[in-house]
């Protein structure tokens, strides 16, 4: 059973101005997408093509206009609050900017234990601390930092904390929305290596949203290319990179600057 | 080697903050040769933007140039009177910024903004200015320029706005264009177009370009020469081909190795360990020593000088005597 199965998904943003008729803006126009269990699916496309909107729909932050999304075979439209809560335990998210995604007033301990509290896991305090220390070790951070606050950390370290937070509930699906594009070049590689290791160890299904083809090639098994609210091409990563079929994919790939090509 | 059009000597810029004085640029020297593109590459906080802003005295109030010289046509730009500097800023040395949407005034039409630039520096009538503006727009590849002069920035896409910024910067045929991350906010296909446009216009006008970027691949594509900054210091400077084919500084080597490639899949990226130094962190030896796989004992004790070898300059003890 695929982790995520999207069929003919449409999403239209509707704006109702105070005066005048309502304005409709179609953002997703018939998306078909499959994330196989245990695989990394790279979603690439230019800004404004609807990548982030798709993530929001999958996470239930935005309602579906039409079409269907199934997560582990369960249709997400019309789910009750309690079912959503259950589902979110299986599906977590990492955002682009670790400066914005971590509450500055929360210590690392509070940040990481919030999801556990919500789901009533590890109620015993010493056990919870022990688990959180393991979690920090898994993202290659020193477990002694539990009492420290986000401002004390660099961008790369913050993103590790955000990853730890996403992993706290032992999810099966991870949605990563441009998780390395806000990081310094010399730190990107560390985080990419970490994501790959974690994905393999925990056999996570990952939807990896990126505009960077080089990053996608490193991490993804499958690639879906998105243009103006549609998936124009989906296939195994090697095939997309070596033999892109769709004109748009070819155009994008030929525009990617690379050091090798310039020499 | 051609005579430099811009010469930066021992530039030091400090920020005064609540946390004390933070050095952002720590003794930077380089030259910009005439008709060449020099790329300044570095991570956030390396001082690449700050050093560029100090050329045109555009630094924020909390920053101060502590020492150094920036020579243009024999004049030190740092000690020039504001009125004299205004003659140079925009006319002789123009600048474009990262976010094209934010650099244009949203309540004025594109035409008004272009004409404003022209009229500020030249005694020309409004009609002439408008004609010139239309010509400039079509030069940067905007169609129906005449009509689009009456439009507002929000009617332009990001790439189009950046074209307008380039048109504005090039309006007065400057000797030097400073481009601060001009394509970072743009999509790859648009980025490719803008890079080509800058390169074409640079060749046509024999202009010198100081191209600031964090993206090594972009630098490789546009630059004749590359300057690698780290913690406010120049780590390595070399002709682009030499630098990318045979980087000498361990930091440059590490950066290039750690890049994911679109051309082949690798199992693991050889990442540089650790994090860049925080602003204000006291650095005794080489700023990269803590992360450097080849660090010697003396790297932690004193900062290496720059070793020159032909056209290459490298700040690393490993280059001593080579």
């Amino acid at each position: 059973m695929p982790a995520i199965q999207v069929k003919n998904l449409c999403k239209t943003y509707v704006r109702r101005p105070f005066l005048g008729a309502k304005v409709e803006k179609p953002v997703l126009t018939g998306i078909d997408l499959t994330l196989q269990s245990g695989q990394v699916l790279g979603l690439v496309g230019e800004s404004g093509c609807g990548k982030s909107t798709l993530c929001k729909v999958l996470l239930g932050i935005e309602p579906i206009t039409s079409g269907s999304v199934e997560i582990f075979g369960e249709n997400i439209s019309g789910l009750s609050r309690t079912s959503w809560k259950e589902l979110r335990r299986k599906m977590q998210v990492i955002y682009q900017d670790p400066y914005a995604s971590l509450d500055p007033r929360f210590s690392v301990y509070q940040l990481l234990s919030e999801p556990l509290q919500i789901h009533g896991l590890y109620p015993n305090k010493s056990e919870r601390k022990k688990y959180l220390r393991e979690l920090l070790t898994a993202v290659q951070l020193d477990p002694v930092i539990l009492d420290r606050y986000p401002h004390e950390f660099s961008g790369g370290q913050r993103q590790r904390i955000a990853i730890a937070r996403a992993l706290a509930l032992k999810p099966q699906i991870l949605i990563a929305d441009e998780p390395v594009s806000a990081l310094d070049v010399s730190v990107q590689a560390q985080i990419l290596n970490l994501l790959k290791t974690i994905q393999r160890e925990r056999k996570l299904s990952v939807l990896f949203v990126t505009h960077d083809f080089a990053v996608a090639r490193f991490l993804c098994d499958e690639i879906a290319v998105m243009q103006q609210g549609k998936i124009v091409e989906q296939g195994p990563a090697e095939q997309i990179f070596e033999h892109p079929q769709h004109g748009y994919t070819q155009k994008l790939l030929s525009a990617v600057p690379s050091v090798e090509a310039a020499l | 080697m051609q005579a430099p059009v811009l010469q930066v000597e021992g530039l030091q810029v400090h920020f005064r903050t609540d946390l004390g004085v933070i050095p952002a640029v720590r003794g930077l020297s380089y030259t910009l040769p005439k008709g060449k593109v020099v790329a300044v590459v570095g991570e956030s906080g390396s001082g690449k933007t700050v050093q560029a802003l100090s050329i045109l005295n555009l630094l924020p109030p909390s920053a101060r140039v502590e020492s150094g010289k920036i020579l243009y046509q024999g004049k030190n730009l740092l000690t020039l009177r504001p009125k004299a500097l205004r003659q140079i800023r925009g006319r002789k040395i123009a600048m474009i910024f990262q976010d094209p949407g934010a650099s244009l005034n949203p309540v004025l039409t594109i035409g008004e903004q272009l004409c404003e630039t022209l009229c500020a520096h030249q005694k020309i009538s409004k009609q002439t200015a408008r004609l010139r503006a239309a010509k400039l727009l079509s030069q940067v590849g905007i169609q129906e320029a005449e009509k689009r002069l009456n439009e507002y920035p929000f009617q332009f896409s990001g790439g189009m706005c950046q074209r307008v910024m380039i048109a504005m910067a090039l309006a007065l045929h400057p000797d030097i264009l400073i481009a601060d991350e001009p394509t970072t906010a743009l999509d790859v296909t648009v980025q490719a177009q803008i890079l080509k446009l800058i390169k074409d216009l640079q060749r046509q006008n024999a202009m010198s370009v100081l191209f600031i970027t964090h993206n090594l691949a972009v630098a490789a594509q546009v630059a004749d020469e590359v300057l690698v900054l780290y913690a406010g210091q120049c780590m390595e400077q070399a002709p682009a081909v030499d630098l990318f084919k045979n980087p000498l500084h361990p930091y440059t080597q590490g950066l290039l190795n750690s890049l994911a490639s679109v051309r082949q899949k690798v199992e693991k990226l050889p990442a540089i360990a650790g994090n860049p130094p925080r602003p204000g962190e006291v650095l005794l030896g080489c700023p990269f020593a803590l992360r450097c796989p080849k660090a010697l004992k003396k790297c932690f004790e004193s900062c290496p000088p720059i070793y020159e070898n032909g056209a290459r300059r490298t700040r690393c003890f490993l280059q001593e005597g080579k």
Side-chain angles (χ1 to χ4, degrees):
Chain A
M1 181 169 38
I4 299 179
Q5 175 100 53
V6 178
K7 279 186 196 145
N8 197 21
L9 176 71
C10 295
K11 170 72 195 169
T12 304
Y13 284 117
V14 183
R15 192 163 59 91
R16 292 188 172 80
F18 179 60
L19 295 171
K22 67 177 181 182
V23 186
E24 291 196 343
K25 189 166 189 238
V27 180
L28 304 179
T29 49
I31 299 268
D32 290 295
L33 195 68
T34 310
L35 170 60
Q36 294 299 344
S37 195
Q39 286 215 321
V40 184
L41 171 63
L43 187 63
V44 287
E46 301 192 277
S47 54
C49 74
K51 305 188 293 279
S52 294
T53 300
L54 179 58
C55 290
K56 284 184 187 165
V57 171
L58 294 178
L59 291 161
I61 300 171
E62 287 286 347
I64 294 169
T65 306
S66 71
S68 77
V69 174
E70 284 177 9
I71 291 168
F72 292 119
E74 191 175 7
N75 195 322
I76 65 164
S77 43
L79 277 189
S80 66
R81 273 181 81 99
T82 37
S83 320
W84 258 119
K85 195 172 156 185
E86 273 310 302
L87 195 59
R88 287 217 178 93
R89 210 176 136 173
K90 295 184 204 150
M91 182 167 62
Q92 290 286 308
V93 60
I94 308 169
Y95 290 105
Q96 175 170 2
D97 183 358
Y99 288 84
S101 62
L102 301 177
D103 190 324
R105 292 164 300 182
F106 276 28
S107 68
V108 174
Y109 174 79
Q110 287 170 305
L111 283 166
L112 297 183
S113 57
E114 195 181 29
L116 302 178
Q117 260 162 24
I118 291 169
H119 289 275
L121 301 169
Y122 294 96
N124 180 311
K125 230 178 168 181
S126 63
E127 273 175 32
R128 179 179 292 181
K129 269 210 159 141
K130 184 167 164 268
Y131 173 65
L132 294 185
R133 288 205 188 97
E134 285 168 22
L135 205 56
L136 286 174
T137 315
V139 295
Q140 293 153 19
L141 283 172
D142 189 339
V144 302
I145 63 165
L146 275 178
D147 297 323
R148 304 201 4 216
Y149 286 83
H151 73 265
E152 299 174 61
F153 300 100
S154 68
Q157 290 167 321
R158 282 178 203 225
Q159 200 58 298
R160 287 175 198 268
I161 296 171
I163 293 171
R165 186 174 148 104
L167 296 176
L169 297 171
K170 299 181 182 144
Q172 289 151 290
I173 300 176
L174 206 54
I175 292 179
D177 191 355
E178 304 262 15
V180 297
S181 44
L183 303 178
D184 274 325
V185 193
S186 74
V187 178
Q188 277 194 13
Q190 298 172 10
I191 300 294
L192 288 170
N193 283 335
L194 174 68
L195 283 171
K196 198 172 204 170
T197 315
I198 286 172
Q199 187 269 333
R200 297 248 168 102
E201 280 173 9
R202 304 186 176 221
K203 299 188 176 59
L204 289 169
S205 319
V206 180
L207 180 68
F208 189 86
V209 178
T210 182
H211 69 280
D212 188 332
F213 277 90
V215 166
R217 178 140 211 191
F218 169 71
L219 209 60
C220 302
D221 306 304
E222 287 246 327
I223 302 282
V225 183
M226 200 164 167
Q227 182 192 20
Q228 291 177 1
K230 274 201 171 65
I231 304 289
V232 294
E233 187 169 357
Q234 180 177 357
E238 281 314 298
Q239 191 187 316
I240 299 276
F241 283 106
E242 293 303 327
H243 310 285
Q245 297 299 312
H246 196 277
Y248 182 66
T249 317
Q250 292 165 355
K251 191 177 132 201
L252 279 181
L253 277 172
S254 67
V256 176
S258 90
V259 172
E260 299 108 305
L263 294 178
Chain B
M1 184 132 151
Q2 272 181 308
V5 39
L6 190 79
Q7 211 168 339
V8 175
E9 279 175 26
L11 182 69
Q12 288 209 25
V13 184
H14 289 181
F15 276 85
R16 280 146 196 266
T17 68
D18 298 344
L19 305 167
V21 175
I22 289 176
V25 179
R26 306 186 303 141
L28 180 68
S29 304
Y30 65 88
T31 54
L32 178 61
K34 190 168 167 41
K36 298 274 180 207
V37 182
V38 172
V40 180
V41 181
E43 305 182 69
S44 51
S46 63
K48 54 190 193 302
T49 297
V50 172
Q51 63 86 19
L53 291 176
S54 41
I55 296 172
L56 290 175
N57 195 11
L58 294 172
L59 288 168
S62 60
R64 225 179 79 178
V65 176
E66 295 293 323
S67 64
K69 278 189 216 161
I70 296 178
L71 297 171
Y72 169 74
Q73 291 182 340
K75 281 174 279 197
N76 184 358
L77 296 180
L78 294 173
T79 54
L80 226 48
R81 286 167 174 279
K83 203 178 163 191
L85 187 61
R86 270 207 300 278
Q87 294 295 315
I88 293 173
R89 189 195 288 143
R91 182 189 292 192
K92 298 289 181 193
I93 305 179
M95 187 156 181
I96 47 179
F97 299 90
Q98 174 168 356
D99 185 353
S103 345
L104 290 166
N105 187 339
V107 297
L108 294 178
T109 63
I110 298 296
E112 282 166 331
Q113 299 187 53
L114 271 168
C115 292
E116 188 185 9
T117 313
L118 292 167
C119 295
H121 290 280
Q122 292 176 333
K123 278 209 163 78
I124 51 172
S125 71
K126 280 206 170 147
Q127 284 84 355
T128 335
R130 234 188 122 73
L131 283 175
R132 290 262 323 265
K135 211 175 137 202
L136 282 166
L137 274 196
S138 50
Q139 242 177 34
V140 295
I142 295 179
Q143 268 142 40
E144 296 184 88
E146 205 61 60
K147 200 179 108 209
R148 302 217 72 172
L149 282 179
N150 296 322
E151 291 184 4
Y152 289 88
F154 77 89
Q155 291 166 297
F156 283 60
S157 66
M160 284 296 189
C161 282
Q162 197 58 288
R163 282 170 196 264
V164 173
M165 290 308 298
I166 293 171
M168 213 178 271
L170 300 183
L172 301 152
H173 302 293
D175 293 338
I176 301 172
L177 176 69
I178 302 174
D180 187 5
E181 304 259 11
T183 59
T184 307
L186 307 174
D187 286 322
V188 276
T189 46
V190 184
Q191 166 170 283
Q193 294 164 10
I194 297 289
L195 290 179
K196 186 171 179 301
L197 177 69
I198 292 179
K199 194 87 189 157
D200 286 350
L201 293 170
Q202 179 260 333
R203 285 207 188 104
Q204 277 169 31
N205 305 334
M207 189 170 57
S208 308
V209 177
L210 192 64
F211 194 100
I212 295 153
T213 180
H214 70 279
N215 189 327
L216 288 160
V218 167
Q221 220 161 54
V222 296
D224 300 305
E225 204 165 299
V226 181
L227 191 74
V228 182
L229 291 192
Y230 189 75
Q233 286 183 321
C234 169
M235 293 284 118
E236 178 164 9
Q237 183 181 8
V241 179
D242 296 347
L243 186 114
F244 289 111
K245 280 213 171 128
N246 176 25
L248 295 180
H249 198 285
Y251 174 59
T252 323
Q253 293 166 355
L255 271 188
L256 284 168
N257 281 335
S258 72
L259 286 186
S261 164
V262 72
R263 304 196 149 204
Q264 57 187 9
K265 183 167 178 136
V266 290
E267 200 29 52
K268 193 165 186 250
L269 294 171
I272 306 178
N275 294 292
R278 290 161 164 251
E281 204 173 306
V282 181
L283 302 162
L284 266 182
C286 171
F288 187 61
L290 278 173
R291 306 173 76 189
C292 182
K294 298 175 184 168
L296 310 167
K297 192 164 164 273
K298 60 179 167 184
C299 298
F300 295 95
E301 287 156 1
S302 63
C303 186
I306 285 186
Y307 296 100
E308 292 198 29
N309 187 355
R312 307 194 65 156
R313 299 164 69 224
T314 316
R315 188 187 289 278
C316 182
F317 283 127
L318 296 172
Q319 294 305 314
E320 199 173 358
K322 277 191 185 167

